[in-house]
């Protein structure tokens, strides 16, 4: 399926922009489960806004991790995407969120899983990264830690949009007939990777997980190496797609290793998605940012919302 592009940019031109060297740059995705039948216009606008928010942080002297986080917060707050507000719901009809971040210079990382009362789980993940000796915190412990960090309780009902509630009602009816496992199909996640002018990289990823998942189910998103990875010696990557498959091939890490072996981020992204399909029969996508400023993206689903922003550009370029 051919992509929709914001602006007059062809696929070939987009590829050459990905291969352009030099930071600062930001690349984001809005999930590989983007519905092919919806109007792409607001999706493209949301993707661009996120990439631009990340680049703004870099241009103001912020770190790559600050930039990736800023982009991720914009996507979490945009109800079009499956993360934060607008997240897909569990089989019990609640939002249950996962997120992680990683800094490529220090290899510091943090994640939260199965949190239900945090508006921006990527900020809680950052607190785990910066403020604890841990890498992953889950459930009530993660929420208690978030409160200690000053993150207020956010009612779960406010994370649930009318669209997700209607979708849940429909699936809930279907699950009574076909069984719950057969309706746990749709994918979606958001992610951002950033590279600064000195080649320092970082990545952030956040999701509501798979639609109608069991409460307590964790996917790839909060796991370093699977959903998120960053190492200045290789690259930064953020995955999207079927978490159970992504976990098996450690897709974010695999893409970064490919860059370390000399592949461009664009080819590394394609090879990581091929690995996902060949070894784990998974569907999904990935974004990659190399320390030399080259970027990459790939997906084997009909659509993946994505955008790039580079220093010197008037605005970000998006596709879906
Ligand atoms: N990739 C998101 C999830 O499976 O939870």
């Amino acid at each position: 399926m051919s992509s929709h592009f914001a602006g007059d940019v062809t696929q070939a031109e987009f590829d050459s922009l990905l291969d352009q060297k030099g930071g600062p740059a930001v690349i984001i995705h809005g999930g590989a489960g983007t519905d092919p039948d919806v109007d792409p216009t607001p999706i493209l606008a949301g993707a661009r806004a996120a990439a631009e928010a990340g680049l703004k942080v870099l241009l103001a002297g912020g770190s790559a991790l600050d930039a990736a986080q800023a982009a991720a917060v914009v996507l979490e707050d945009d109800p079009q995407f499956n993360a934060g507000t607008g997240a897909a719901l569990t089989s019990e009809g609640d939002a249950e969120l996962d997120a992680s971040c990683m800094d490529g210079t220090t290899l510091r990382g943090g994640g939260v899983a199965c949190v239900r009362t945090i508006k921006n789980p990527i900020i809680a993940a950052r607190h785990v990264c910066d403020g604890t000796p841990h890498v992953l915190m889950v459930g009530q412990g993660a929420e208690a830690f978030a409160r200690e960090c000053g993150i207020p309780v956010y009612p779960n009902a406010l994370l649930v949009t009318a669209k997700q509630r209607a979708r849940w009602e429909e699936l809930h009816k279907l699950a009574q007939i076909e069984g719950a496992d057969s309706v746990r199909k749709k994918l979606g996640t958001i992610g951002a990777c950033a590279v600064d002018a000195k080649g320092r990289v970082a990545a952030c990823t956040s999701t509501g997980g798979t639609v109608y998942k069991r409460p307590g189910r964790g996917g790839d998103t909060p796991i370093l190496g699977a959903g998120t990875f960053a190492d200045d010696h290789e690259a930064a990557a953020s995955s999207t797609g079927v978490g159970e498959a992504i976990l098996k091939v450690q897709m974010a890490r695999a893409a970064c290793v490919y860059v370390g072996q000399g592949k461009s981020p664009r080819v590394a992204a394609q090879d990581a998605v091929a690995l996902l399909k060949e070894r784990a029969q998974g569907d999904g996508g990935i974004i990659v940012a190399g320390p030399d400023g080259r970027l990459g993206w790939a997906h084997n689903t009909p659509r993946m919302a994505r955008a790039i922003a580079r220093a010197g550009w008037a605005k970000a370029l998006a596709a879906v």
Side-chain angles (χ1 to χ4, degrees):
M1 182 176 282
S2 64
S3 292
H4 296 286
F5 297 108
D8 301 322
V9 184
T10 65
Q11 176 78 56
E13 283 165 340
F14 234 127
D15 285 353
S16 73
L17 293 170
L18 291 170
D19 288 340
Q20 190 179 311
K21 285 191 179 174
V26 174
I27 182 165
I28 70 93
H29 70 77
T34 309
D35 187 342
D37 299 324
V38 301
D39 175 9
T41 310
I43 297 173
L44 293 168
R48 274 177 39 190
E52 285 168 4
L55 184 65
K56 194 171 162 193
V57 170
L58 283 178
L59 296 178
S63 69
L65 187 54
D66 290 339
Q69 179 182 316
V73 165
V74 170
L75 292 162
E76 285 182 336
D77 286 344
D78 187 331
Q80 301 182 93
F81 302 111
N82 178 9
T85 303
L89 307 182
T90 69
S91 57
E92 290 185 353
D94 303 314
E96 206 171 80
L97 310 175
D98 301 339
S100 67
C101 64
M102 189 164 178
D103 172 58
T105 305
T106 60
L107 300 192
R108 284 184 304 116
V112 293
C114 300
V115 295
R116 301 160 57 95
T117 61
I118 297 177
K119 177 169 168 284
N120 292 109
I122 195 63
I123 293 177
R126 180 69 184 272
H127 280 290
V128 173
C129 172
D130 289 351
T132 78
H134 309 310
V135 170
L136 178 62
M137 297 190 67
V138 306
Q140 290 179 351
E143 300 203 354
F145 172 67
R147 304 288 99 86
E148 277 177 38
C149 297
I151 297 175
V153 172
Y154 195 75
N156 196 271
L158 293 184
L159 295 166
V160 179
T161 57
K163 182 177 155 199
Q164 291 294 351
R165 176 62 64 203
R167 185 194 220 181
W168 182 87
E169 301 283 357
E170 201 179 299
L171 288 175
H172 194 57
K173 275 189 210 134
L174 204 59
Q176 316 308 311
I177 302 161
E178 297 185 4
D181 283 339
S182 73
V183 303
R184 291 185 178 121
K185 282 176 191 152
K186 295 264 182 168
L187 338 160
T189 297
I190 64 90
C193 300
V195 49
D196 72 10
K198 293 189 172 159
R200 293 177 290 219
V201 298
C204 289
T205 313
S206 182
T207 191
T210 45
V211 176
Y212 213 75
K213 67 184 180 183
R214 281 179 187 273
R217 173 264 187 192
D220 59 300
T221 299
I223 307 296
L224 302 188
T228 304
F229 193 75
D231 182 343
D232 289 358
H233 297 290
E234 297 174 347
S238 169
S239 307
T240 166
V242 180
E244 285 72 8
I246 294 169
L247 281 160
K248 289 173 191 163
V249 298
Q250 292 285 290
M251 183 161 72
R253 171 73 170 141
C256 293
V257 168
Y258 293 151
V259 175
Q261 290 170 343
K263 292 180 180 174
S264 72
R266 189 163 59 81
V267 171
Q270 289 163 359
D271 288 358
V273 171
L275 174 75
L276 179 71
K277 194 68 178 178
E278 283 162 23
R279 295 293 293 131
Q281 295 77 54
D283 292 326
I286 195 163
I287 54 170
V288 183
D292 65 1
R294 287 183 296 172
L295 307 170
W297 57 38
H299 57 106
N300 65 2
T301 53
R303 295 212 184 281
M304 181 173 82
R306 56 213 195 266
I308 49 176
R310 286 188 182 279
W313 291 6
K315 59 184 181 182
L317 290 172
V320 65

